Amino acid sequence: MYDLEDTIRARRSTRLFLRDKPVPKELVIEALDLAVRAPSNSNIQPWRVVFNSGPARDRLVEALLEEATKGDPKVPPLPEEFSHFRRDLGAILYGTMGVPRHDAAARRIAVLRNWEFFRAPLGAVVCMHRDLDYVDALGVGMFLQTFMLALTARGIGSCVQVSIAGYPEVIREQLGITEDMRILCGVSIGYPDPSFAANTLDVPRSPLADNVTFRET
Ligand SMILES: Cc1cc2nc3c(=O)[nH]c(=O)nc-3n(C[C@H](O)[C@H](O)[C@H](O)COP(=O)(O)O)c2cc1C
């Protein structure tokens, strides 16, 4: 078990898991018991999460991969002024994975792993009621970060994935999620594959002054 500061520094997005090493359910429940301590607007606790493992996970992956080979996911477009972040991340990530910049086929294979939950034995789908607003999505985010930190402290890796939400019809059909729920993202959960260099990547952050202002006079 790490202390909080070490845990925050140790968490990173895992993008290849040990497929055959299941996550003990009691550890997931422990992490969830901590995650629900997250604050939320009027304490409505807007997070709704469906966990998929075993054959349920495999059926979901099969359906998602089939859809992914047919067409692009419906993910919110990134405004042009922010697209350099995606390019920078792609360069670091694919560079570490040894995928050449212009090798579209190799990139495609790497991207498709999203809908395989990066081989994680546990794949979560995160939803929120359709009538709730941005402020409530903040609550879901706080829950997710707390959940992932609690997993990290237990040696378990994770990756939040908007890509999973890109095929909402497949998810609704597979999991029986009704139209009153908005599908926000997925989360891959499992033990990181130690042979995959990108799992230990330390993705750089912008200088604080780019995002934060102190007004003191
Ligand atoms: C809301 C959200 C959606 C994300 N979607 C994806 C995704 O679809 N695929 C992916 O590989 N990573 C995804 N990520 C992971 C980010 O790329 C990652 O958090 C960021 O690059 C910082 O790296 P780190 O998590 O290792 O610190 C997502 C993260 C968040 C918070």
Side-chain angles (χ1 to χ4, degrees):
M1 211 61 91
Y2 307 151
D3 81 357
L4 179 61
E5 195 167 322
D6 290 342
T7 306
I8 292 168
R9 292 189 193 285
R11 189 217 57 80
R12 52 206 58 199
S13 293
T14 299
R15 291 190 178 86
L16 203 66
F17 294 84
L18 297 175
R19 190 203 310 252
D20 297 323
K21 188 169 178 192
V23 183
K25 191 169 178 181
E26 57 274 21
L27 294 186
V28 178
I29 301 284
E30 277 179 21
L32 285 170
D33 278 337
L34 290 166
V36 297
R37 304 309 306 165
S40 59
N41 181 28
S42 298
N43 194 30
I44 64 167
Q45 302 157 70
W47 43 84
R48 297 289 182 273
V49 190
V50 183
F51 288 94
N52 304 275
S53 59
R57 175 246 180 240
D58 296 345
R59 282 195 303 275
L60 177 59
V61 164
E62 195 183 328
L64 285 170
L65 281 177
E66 191 188 328
E67 203 64 17
T69 55
K70 285 192 214 150
D72 290 335
K74 288 182 218 157
V75 290
L78 206 52
E80 184 50 40
E81 75 172 287
F82 294 98
S83 59
H84 66 97
F85 286 108
R86 179 175 288 164
R87 279 196 298 276
D88 292 349
L89 175 64
I92 303 171
L93 193 55
Y94 294 117
T96 310
M97 286 162 62
V99 174
R101 193 177 168 78
H102 298 294
D103 189 341
R107 279 201 174 213
R108 179 76 187 135
I109 289 168
V111 168
L112 277 175
R113 285 202 202 116
N114 267 280
W115 296 288
E116 210 189 330
F117 290 107
F118 300 112
R119 301 190 184 152
L122 186 60
V125 172
V126 181
C127 307
M128 184 181 83
H129 197 281
R130 187 164 289 282
D131 295 342
L132 296 176
D133 212 328
Y134 294 115
V135 69
D136 304 299
L138 294 179
V140 178
M142 292 183 195
F143 161 85
L144 281 180
Q145 170 72 342
T146 312
F147 179 50
M148 292 192 297
L149 291 178
L151 291 173
T152 304
R154 286 160 179 75
I156 300 166
S158 58
C159 186
V160 181
Q161 294 169 265
V162 69
S163 49
I164 291 289
Y167 298 108
E169 291 84 6
V170 171
I171 292 174
R172 287 187 193 287
E173 190 185 318
Q174 287 286 322
L175 310 188
I177 294 173
T178 48
E179 288 292 335
D180 57 345
M181 286 290 153
R182 194 190 298 263
I183 298 167
L184 296 180
C185 63
V187 190
S188 294
I189 301 157
Y191 290 93
D193 183 334
S195 68
F196 190 64
N199 281 346
T200 51
L201 199 62
D202 196 355
V203 177
R205 299 302 197 258
S206 308
L208 277 186
D210 285 9
N211 298 28
V212 178
T213 309
F214 293 95
R215 298 186 70 245
E216 291 169 333
T217 53

